[in-house]
Amino acid sequence: RVIDKTDVSYTYQELYEMIVAAPSNETEIMKITVTSTDPYEAAKIANGIAEILPERVSEIIDGAACITAYKGRAEQLVLPEELEGAPVVSIGKNAFNGNRHIKKLEMGKNVRRIEANAFFYCTELRELELNQGLEFIGDFAFHKCPIANVFLPKSLREIGLKCFHAMENYDDFRQNISVEQGNEYIFSDGHALY
């Protein structure tokens, strides 16, 4: 997408070798460095990356990917199983926070962790399909999402504080929480998760 956006004549591999992107001082701010003999071209490429990057930022560490931000407008979203060949194993803190477009969400099969506030205040999110293999859902992960019901997989080991709380129809929702039989870690009595 950067090649199309900037109209440069490099191959993907050539462009890849010119770019270094890394977090700045252990923050979510990214530092982008482009190496080129032409400073105008380097600035053009860096600016093109800066325009594209916020749409979907991913962090790849030790062969695993984490979705750290999403600014798209899809109403139905299936999260990818891989990014750049690395399995997507987590959804980062605040990654989808405040998205007002997603109505239906399906996790990729490799997702193991959904971090705190990942889908906080996604006010249109009504359908949620969690994957088998998911082990952790962080605090407030789906807080204020109008999800109708949810099936918690057998693999789920830990649920954070108020991860499915403060919904418009929370009383109805609590009765529509299903925990897969055989889950030894999570229990629902129709009123709360334990």
Side-chain angles (χ1 to χ4, degrees), residues 30 53 56-61 64-69 83-84 88:
M30 297 292 288
L53 202 55
R56 182 168 66 195
V57 176
S58 66
E59 180 179 345
I60 299 178
I61 299 173
C66 172
I67 295 176
T68 57
L83 287 173
E84 298 179 17
V88 175

Side-chain angles (χ1 to χ4, degrees), residues 5 13 47 49 62 91 97 104 120 146 162 167 188:
K5 178 84 175 167
Q13 187 62 37
N47 289 333
I49 293 169
D62 296 330
I91 310 302
N97 189 328
K104 182 177 181 179
F120 182 88
K162 300 184 178 183
M167 302 173 186
S188 171

Side-chain angles (χ1 to χ4, degrees), residues 89 107-114 129-137 151-159 178-187 194:
V89 297
M107 289 292 147
K109 72 176 185 178
N110 296 318
V111 174
R112 301 286 179 257
R113 296 180 61 87
I114 299 172
E129 187 176 324
L130 299 174
N131 61 303
Q132 188 57 252
L134 180 66
E135 298 171 355
F136 173 84
I137 301 175
F151 179 75
L152 302 176
K154 183 177 179 179
S155 58
L156 193 60
R157 300 289 185 258
E158 185 177 346
I159 296 179
S178 302
V179 179
E180 185 175 4
Q181 187 173 3
N183 187 319
E184 298 173 8
Y185 300 91
I186 308 298
F187 171 74
Y194 304 97

Side-chain angles (χ1 to χ4, degrees), residues 11 21 30 48 52 54 67 75 81 86 104-105 114 116 130 137 168 176 192:
T11 65
M30 297 292 288
I52 293 169
I67 295 176
E75 289 185 6
E81 293 176 12
K104 182 177 181 179
L105 175 68
I114 299 172
L130 299 174
I137 301 175
E168 290 176 25
N176 292 320

Side-chain angles (χ1 to χ4, degrees), residues 24-136:
S24 179
N25 297 326
E26 298 182 23
T27 67
E28 292 183 10
I29 298 170
M30 297 292 288
K31 179 180 180 183
I32 301 167
T33 305
V34 179
T35 304
S36 173
T37 56
D38 181 350
Y40 296 105
E41 179 183 68
K44 181 180 178 180
I45 293 168
N47 289 333
I49 293 169
E51 285 182 39
I52 293 169
L53 202 55
E55 292 175 19
R56 182 168 66 195
V57 176
S58 66
E59 180 179 345
I60 299 178
I61 299 173
D62 296 330
C66 172
I67 295 176
T68 57
Y70 177 83
K71 303 299 180 197
R73 295 177 172 267
E75 289 185 6
Q76 294 188 19
L77 187 61
V78 177
L79 295 181
E81 293 176 12
E82 294 183 347
L83 287 173
E84 298 179 17
V88 175
V89 297
S90 64
I91 310 302
K93 290 181 182 180
N94 299 305
F96 293 78
N97 189 328
N99 185 293
R100 305 267 196 282
H101 304 284
I102 302 170
K103 294 180 180 181
K104 182 177 181 179
L105 175 68
E106 182 181 332
M107 289 292 147
K109 72 176 185 178
N110 296 318
V111 174
R112 301 286 179 257
R113 296 180 61 87
I114 299 172
E115 300 296 343
N117 302 314
F119 297 92
F120 182 88
Y121 213 68
C122 289
T123 56
E124 297 301 316
L125 181 55
R126 292 175 178 8
E127 294 181 51
L128 173 63
E129 187 176 324
L130 299 174
N131 61 303
Q132 188 57 252
L134 180 66
E135 298 171 355
F136 173 84

